């Protein structure tokens, strides 16, 4: 079963933004309001699709939503086609590298996709743009063609929560419907009702719950998943290794760059260095350590943006002079318990350094404070 069409999962019902704009109408702000989209939680329908994907039933999900909830829920990028892009992704206009952000992106001016940021690849330096498609702009041809291809292969096309009035996106389920492979779930009538094999007038979450019960499957709870990458690299220019650069980086579970950290605290020898800008880096100066050590433990405390009340996460990275080290930590956060867990704690890998690398990065806006100072935690919000 394929689901090559969007699923709109919001408490409110009615026409979507693109349908309203096509009719030159605006949404009633009194009935539909959003305090902070970054705090939005994937619905049971989102999580049903995740489970179907894990079971190999769902092969492709085509979405017109640009809120990023399908990706946040756990749908892999290999099975997700976001026709209108993702408001949490910046893309380099030069090398096309994409950056996932855990904060709202802003344009440098109205109707411009540019965010003012640049690619972190020093060999590129291209301008970054918000990876979305505004109303009236052309959809990405490659993504649209992939949607058509999946619709042709699908045993079943399930269109959920859509009016099916906005083209060319609506042509994807229409192709499946013409051969009797379309099921439409929506409270409103749609132009494709007559060609649908099955038409269900109900809410997406209600249908999703009953469908999973029929299949004997459980809808999984929503959990945040991301990777924290801690690394250490000798950075001295001389043969005598005097400094090591410690770096904290973020990635999603597929390894794509992901900026989910608000600030990082590095603690060594009872001193804490706080950095709140990328790259989150800290330099260990071996000749300044007490006892002239050859090995030292760096306590790394990560402060998150706290959209779901995430507390800080703490990990110790043990580094050795003249050796590189890297620790990749797949993390999982349960909003119901408000606790982080290291779902696959990998042991630190050390690699003998045959050649030290000159430091090319400067540590941004850092401040050193005594370790007795309490590390601030993120502000929590109701789950």
């Amino acid at each position: 079963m394929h689901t090559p069409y969007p699923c709109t999962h919001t408490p409110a019902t009615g026409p979507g933004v693109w349908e309203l704009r096509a009719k030159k109408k605006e949404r009633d702000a009194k009935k539909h309001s959003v305090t902070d989209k970054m705090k939005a939680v994937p619905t049971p329908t989102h999580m049903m699709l995740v489970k179907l994907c894990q079971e190999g039933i769902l092969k492709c999900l085509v979405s017109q939503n640009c809120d990023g909830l399908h990706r946040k829920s756990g749908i892999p990028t290999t099975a997700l086609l976001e026709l209108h892009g993702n408001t949490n992704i910046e893309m380099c206009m030069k090398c096309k590298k994409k950056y996932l952000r855990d904060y709202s992106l802003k344009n440098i001016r109205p109707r411009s996709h540019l965010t003012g940021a640049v690619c972190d690849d020093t060999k590129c330096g291209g301008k970054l743009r918000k990876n979305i498609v505004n109303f009236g702009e052309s959809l990405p041809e490659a993504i649209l063609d992939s949607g058509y291809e999946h619709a042709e292969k699908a045993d079943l096309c399930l269109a959920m929560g859509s009016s099916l009035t906005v083209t060319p996106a609506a042509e994807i389920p229409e192709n499946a419907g013409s051969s009797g492979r379309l099921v439409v779930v929506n409270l409103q009538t749609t132009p494709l009702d007559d060609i649908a094999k099955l038409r269900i007038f109900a809410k997406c979450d209600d249908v999703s719950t009953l469908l999973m019960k029929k299949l004997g499957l459980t809808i999984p709870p929503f959990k945040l998943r991301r990777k924290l990458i801690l690394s250490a690299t000798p950075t001295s220019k001389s043969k005598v290794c005097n400094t090591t650069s410690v770096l904290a980086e973020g990635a999603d579970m597929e390894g794509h760059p992901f900026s989910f950290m608000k600030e990082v605290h590095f603690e060594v020898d009872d001193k804490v260095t706080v950095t709140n800008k990328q790259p989150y880096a800290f330099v260990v100066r071996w000749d300044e350590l007490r006892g002239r050590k050859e090995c030292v433990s760096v306590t790394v405390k990560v402060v998150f943006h706290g959209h779901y009340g995430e507390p800080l996460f703490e990990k110790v990275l043990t580094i050795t002079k003249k050796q590189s080290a890297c620790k990749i930590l797949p993390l999982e956060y349960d909003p119901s318990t408000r606790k982080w867990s290291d779902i696959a704690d990998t042991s630190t890998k050390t690699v003998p350094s045959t050649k030290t690398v000159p430091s090319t990065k400067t540590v941004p806006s850092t401040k050193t404070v005594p370790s007795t100072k309490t590390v601030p935690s993120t502000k929590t919000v109701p789950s």
Side-chain angles (χ1 to χ4, degrees):
M1 178 175 68
H2 285 233
T3 308
Y5 205 71
C7 299
T8 304
H9 316 130
T10 57
T13 59
V17 174
W18 278 62
E19 181 187 354
L20 288 170
R21 290 180 179 176
K23 296 179 180 180
K24 297 182 179 180
K25 296 182 179 180
E26 295 293 333
R27 188 182 295 277
D28 188 343
K30 294 182 179 180
K31 294 182 179 179
H32 306 269
S33 61
V34 178
T35 55
D36 186 351
K37 66 176 183 178
M38 297 304 299
K39 296 180 181 179
V41 177
T43 67
T45 304
H46 284 94
M47 301 314 299
M48 173 203 71
L49 296 172
V50 172
K51 183 62 176 178
L52 292 181
C53 192
Q54 293 172 347
E55 294 293 325
I57 299 173
L58 174 64
K59 303 297 184 182
C60 180
L61 172 62
V62 181
S63 174
Q64 282 183 290
N65 299 333
C66 58
D67 53 21
L69 281 178
H70 282 304
R71 187 160 175 178
K72 184 180 289 187
S73 67
I75 296 290
T77 56
T78 53
L80 178 61
L81 299 176
E82 294 176 303
L83 287 181
H84 297 158
N86 188 321
T87 55
N88 300 324
I89 292 179
E90 285 181 285
M91 183 179 69
C92 178
M93 298 182 66
K94 190 175 180 180
C95 70
K96 307 305 179 184
K97 182 178 180 179
K98 293 182 179 180
Y99 300 86
L100 183 61
R101 311 299 192 191
D102 198 29
Y103 49 83
S104 298
L105 298 172
K106 297 181 179 180
N107 303 336
I108 57 176
R109 58 180 178 274
R111 302 298 298 176
S112 170
H113 288 296
L114 296 177
T115 62
V118 296
C119 183
D120 63 6
D121 186 343
T122 55
K123 295 181 180 179
C124 176
K127 296 179 179 180
L128 299 187
R129 56 158 286 167
K130 213 172 181 179
N131 190 42
I132 60 171
V133 177
N134 287 332
F135 186 77
E137 297 177 343
S138 299
L139 298 180
E141 188 174 339
I143 295 180
L144 195 59
D145 288 344
S146 182
Y148 289 138
E149 183 180 346
H150 279 287
E152 292 175 0
K153 294 179 180 179
D155 299 312
L156 176 68
C157 174
L158 179 62
M160 302 185 73
S162 174
S163 64
L164 304 178
T165 59
V166 180
T167 57
E171 296 171 358
I172 296 176
E174 185 178 8
N175 291 343
S178 60
S179 55
R181 295 174 290 120
L182 174 64
V183 173
V184 177
V185 180
N186 197 52
L187 289 173
Q188 300 169 281
T189 58
T190 79
L192 303 186
D193 288 355
D194 292 339
I195 63 172
K197 186 71 174 181
L198 177 63
R199 183 62 173 89
I200 303 174
F201 290 91
K203 294 182 178 180
C204 293
D205 284 351
D206 293 341
V207 174
S208 298
T209 302
L210 292 173
L211 174 60
M212 294 296 276
K213 184 177 181 180
K214 185 70 175 179
L215 293 174
L217 298 173
T218 302
I219 297 178
F222 165 62
K223 294 182 180 180
L224 282 177
R225 292 182 174 88
R226 49 201 47 175
K227 286 183 179 180
L228 174 63
I229 305 170
L230 303 178
S231 61
T233 308
T235 55
S236 300
K237 294 182 180 180
S238 62
K239 293 182 179 180
V240 180
C241 182
N242 292 323
T243 59
T244 295
S245 178
V246 180
L247 186 65
E249 299 175 284
D252 66 6
M253 298 305 287
E254 298 179 31
H256 302 115
F258 187 10
S259 301
F260 56 75
M261 293 175 277
K262 188 175 183 180
E263 63 182 39
V264 179
H265 302 227
F266 299 94
E267 181 178 347
V268 178
D269 270 359
D270 299 328
K271 291 184 178 181
V272 177
T273 298
V274 181
T275 177
N276 54 18
K277 291 184 180 180
Q278 291 182 295
Y280 299 105
F282 168 70
V283 177
V284 175
R285 304 186 185 280
W286 294 95
D287 56 357
E288 295 180 3
L289 297 180
R290 291 199 303 263
R292 302 279 179 161
K293 303 173 183 177
E294 294 292 317
C295 179
V296 69
S297 294
V298 180
T299 301
V300 182
K301 297 179 181 179
V302 177
V303 178
F304 303 92
H305 290 278
H307 305 305
Y308 303 99
E310 309 98 292
L312 61 80
F313 179 83
E314 180 178 325
K315 201 68 179 180
V316 175
L317 179 67
T318 301
I319 61 175
T320 304
K321 195 174 183 180
K322 296 184 180 180
Q323 287 186 329
S324 297
C326 182
K327 180 177 284 190
I328 301 176
L329 306 170
L331 305 179
E332 181 179 87
Y333 174 72
D334 188 342
S336 64
T337 63
R338 296 192 176 184
K339 292 182 179 180
W340 285 103
S341 59
D342 185 351
I343 57 179
D345 188 359
T346 57
S347 58
T348 305
K349 297 179 180 180
T350 58
V351 181
S353 177
T354 57
K355 183 179 179 180
T356 54
V357 182
S359 177
T360 57
K361 296 182 179 180
T362 57
V363 181
S365 60
T366 59
K367 55 183 178 180
T368 302
V369 295
S371 62
T372 54
K373 184 177 180 180
T374 302
V375 179
S377 61
T378 55
K379 184 179 181 181
T380 59
V381 295
S383 58

